[in-house]
Amino acid sequence: MIYYLGSFLLIAIGLYAIIIKKNLIKILIGLNLAASGVNLLIVSIGYIKNGTAPIFSKIGINPSAMVDPIPQALTLTAIVIDASELALAVAFVVLLYRHYGTLDIKKIRSLKW
Amino acid sequence: MIRKIVYSIFLATIVLALVMFFAAYPFGKNKMTVGEYYLNNGVAQTGASNIVTSVVVDYRGFDTLGEVSVLFGAAAGVAILFFVLAENRRERKNITSPNFVVKVGSRIIFPFILLFGTYIFIHGHLTPGGGFQGGSIIASGFLLLYLAYPGTRVSRKKLSAVEGLAGLTFVLLGLYGLMLPESSFLFNFLPKGQLNALLSAGILPIIYIAIGFKVAAEFAGIVDDMMCEVICRGGEK
Amino acid sequence: MIYISWILIILMLILAVVSIQLKNLIAAVVAMGATSLIISLLFLLLQAPDVAMAEASIGAALTMIIYIIGVRETERSEK
């Protein structure tokens, strides 16, 4: 249960940073934290009590005592995509900084809200 | 100030909605039906002892192909942004030379990082790990090389050759499965072998090795672009 | 043993708050990497070794280095 609560709060912290912060790097950090929270939430859905990892390393392991493999497989691909997309976002931020000379989104005209 | 209060209420609402939604799914109780099916039949159908690998590469192999293409798109995007759109190209500047210990230590440790990454993606169908993890470990080995010797450049042509060959292996194996009598994309046509042997699980290890090379090449390319941004055009702030 | 997950989750939340509140951007990025590392330990406790390895090598190492290069190319601190 604590895993659910922790991941909810992590998502909330990430969203708070995305909404409130003015600095672009801080916004990206918030995005990363929220994505990690979602990953943690998805993996903790698949957990069962006293379960083992879904690997048949020895013969005679009971499949019904294993945790759910599907959330883990989905999360695995999600982590890799997160990292590559965030690299792209950092590249955009660097170019924005070169063009406007600031990281503050209030001063960047096209991003003003 | 009033903005912060409004957004805090908004976030509290989101958290409350999540709590109410997940009250229907108690923690640590029951699994999804599909997951149980994969656990009960995965070994017989794919021959891999790591069920996560068999889900990633076999049952949802098409998904993984799309994911690898997204990775390629992101790496190409970073390269395009930094090399084509960059305006003010400055001259190469000297940055602080790294410590002696870092230089010698990284030279000793770099082959072992490569070996560890390779071990992880070759044994992807037996032990935890696989192409994504092994590939990113190899890319972090390249990162160590960049930190120790700032002048290093990986050859972009070789990187894209490795990347293209790995992607081609994945697609061609999938298309070959389409030509067989029981046709489906990514059909596992090689013999399954014995459980927990290195040569088992048909085409799964081959595909995971291809994914490993591809991920390593993509991330090494991203790191190379980023480091070149610092070294070739950057300089001290 | 049961309380390990409680301790780790509270530490993770503290590090997340620290990483969005710090003015020094390099320190904030390092705190974010530490959060990722603790999340990978939590994945290990949740019996997901594959995901834990991916999070430790990608989320904690590669992402952090990419952010550090990005901060180095722009501003050191948030104004």
Side-chain angles (χ1 to χ4, degrees):
Chain A
M1 212 54 218
I2 178 74
Y3 288 99
Y4 279 178
L5 208 61
S7 48
F8 294 158
L9 288 178
L10 197 57
I11 293 170
I13 291 171
L15 285 179
Y16 175 83
I18 294 171
I19 295 170
I20 296 286
K21 292 289 168 181
K22 301 288 193 307
N23 188 300
L24 275 170
I25 296 275
K26 278 289 171 70
I27 291 174
L28 287 187
I29 287 176
L31 211 60
N32 204 342
L33 288 178
S36 303
V38 172
N39 288 339
L40 187 59
L41 180 60
I42 293 177
V43 170
S44 61
I45 289 172
Y47 183 71
I48 60 168
K49 273 239 168 63
N50 300 322
T52 59
I55 296 167
F56 289 89
S57 49
K58 280 176 290 190
I59 295 171
I61 298 180
N62 189 10
S64 64
M66 285 179 170
V67 299
D68 203 338
I70 299 180
Q72 301 191 12
L74 296 181
T75 313
L76 190 58
T77 55
I79 288 174
V80 180
I81 290 190
D82 273 351
S84 58
E85 299 292 323
L86 285 166
L88 191 59
V90 170
F92 271 118
V93 168
V94 170
L95 287 187
L96 272 177
Y97 181 76
R98 287 209 186 132
H99 194 257
Y100 290 100
T102 178
L103 281 181
D104 194 342
I105 58 167
K106 275 198 153 178
K107 291 181 186 147
I108 297 175
R109 265 178 303 145
S110 47
L111 286 181
K112 196 170 178 179
W113 65 308
Chain B
M1 193 59 218
I2 193 132
R3 204 166 137 253
K4 281 193 179 179
I5 293 173
V6 170
Y7 288 131
S8 302
I9 294 170
F10 169 66
L11 289 177
T13 320
I14 287 181
V15 171
L16 198 66
L18 279 171
V19 168
M20 283 167 68
F21 179 72
F22 278 93
Y25 299 91
F27 179 70
K29 284 281 158 42
N30 33 20
K31 289 178 276 194
M32 285 187 286
T33 330
V34 191
E36 272 186 36
Y37 176 79
Y38 288 163
L39 282 177
N40 289 328
N41 303 314
V43 171
Q45 284 177 354
T46 64
S49 57
N50 187 350
I51 301 295
V52 178
T53 298
S54 64
V55 172
V56 167
V57 181
D58 194 301
Y59 292 115
R60 288 168 192 239
F62 197 58
D63 190 10
T64 305
L65 183 59
E67 193 253 333
V68 170
S69 344
V70 170
L71 193 58
F72 170 72
V78 173
I80 288 170
L81 282 180
F82 275 152
F83 279 84
V84 181
L85 300 181
E87 301 158 8
N88 42 357
R89 303 199 168 211
R90 273 172 281 169
E91 284 301 305
R92 179 182 194 136
K93 283 188 183 174
N94 285 329
I95 63 169
T96 354
S97 181
N99 197 337
F100 176 74
V101 179
V102 178
K103 282 186 178 174
V104 176
S106 74
R107 199 183 294 170
I108 294 172
I109 222 172
F110 178 66
F112 289 104
I113 293 178
L114 289 191
L115 190 66
F116 180 55
T118 318
Y119 171 83
I120 282 182
F121 65 66
I122 285 179
H123 289 76
H125 56 301
L126 303 178
T127 54
F132 297 111
Q133 295 92 333
S136 58
I137 286 171
I138 289 178
S140 49
F142 279 107
L143 188 65
L144 181 67
L145 211 60
Y146 279 112
L147 291 184
Y149 299 93
T152 324
R153 293 304 312 274
V154 180
S155 156
R156 300 295 306 193
K157 279 186 182 170
K158 282 174 194 163
L159 271 189
S160 41
V162 169
E163 201 181 302
L165 279 180
L168 200 64
T169 314
F170 195 168
V171 175
L172 284 184
L173 276 175
L175 286 180
Y176 185 73
L178 212 52
M179 293 193 300
L180 293 174
E182 318 106 291
S183 69
S184 69
F185 191 70
L186 285 173
F187 178 71
N188 198 346
F189 56 86
L190 288 178
K192 303 281 190 318
Q194 201 184 353
L195 185 65
N196 274 330
L198 184 57
L199 290 176
S200 67
I203 62 169
L204 263 66
I206 304 174
I207 291 179
Y208 234 8
I209 288 171
I211 291 176
F213 274 110
K214 195 162 167 59
V215 171
E218 308 277 14
F219 273 121
I222 291 179
V223 167
D224 182 63
D225 292 337
M226 289 279 185
M227 289 306 279
C228 182
E229 207 50 29
V230 174
I231 294 158
C232 306
R233 273 169 242 140
E236 295 296 329
K237 268 265 169 310
Chain C
M1 279 308 281
I2 298 169
Y3 295 105
I4 278 186
S5 60
W6 286 74
I7 295 168
L8 283 178
I9 284 175
I10 290 168
L11 201 60
M12 173 190 84
L13 291 175
I14 291 172
L15 276 172
V17 171
V18 162
S19 82
I20 66 167
Q21 290 296 345
L22 277 176
K23 292 286 177 200
N24 186 345
L25 286 178
I26 294 265
V29 168
V30 171
M32 188 201 72
T35 316
S36 286
L37 206 58
I38 289 178
I39 289 174
S40 85
L41 287 179
L42 287 174
F43 283 145
L44 205 60
L45 288 181
L46 283 170
Q47 300 292 337
D50 297 82
V51 189
M53 282 171 81
E55 178 78 30
S57 65
I58 298 175
L62 279 174
T63 314
M64 198 170 86
I65 291 295
I66 287 169
Y67 272 105
I68 285 179
I69 294 170
V71 171
R72 197 198 139 95
E73 283 295 294
T74 56
E75 286 171 347
R76 261 314 148 90
S77 66
E78 180 188 21
K79 267 169 251 157

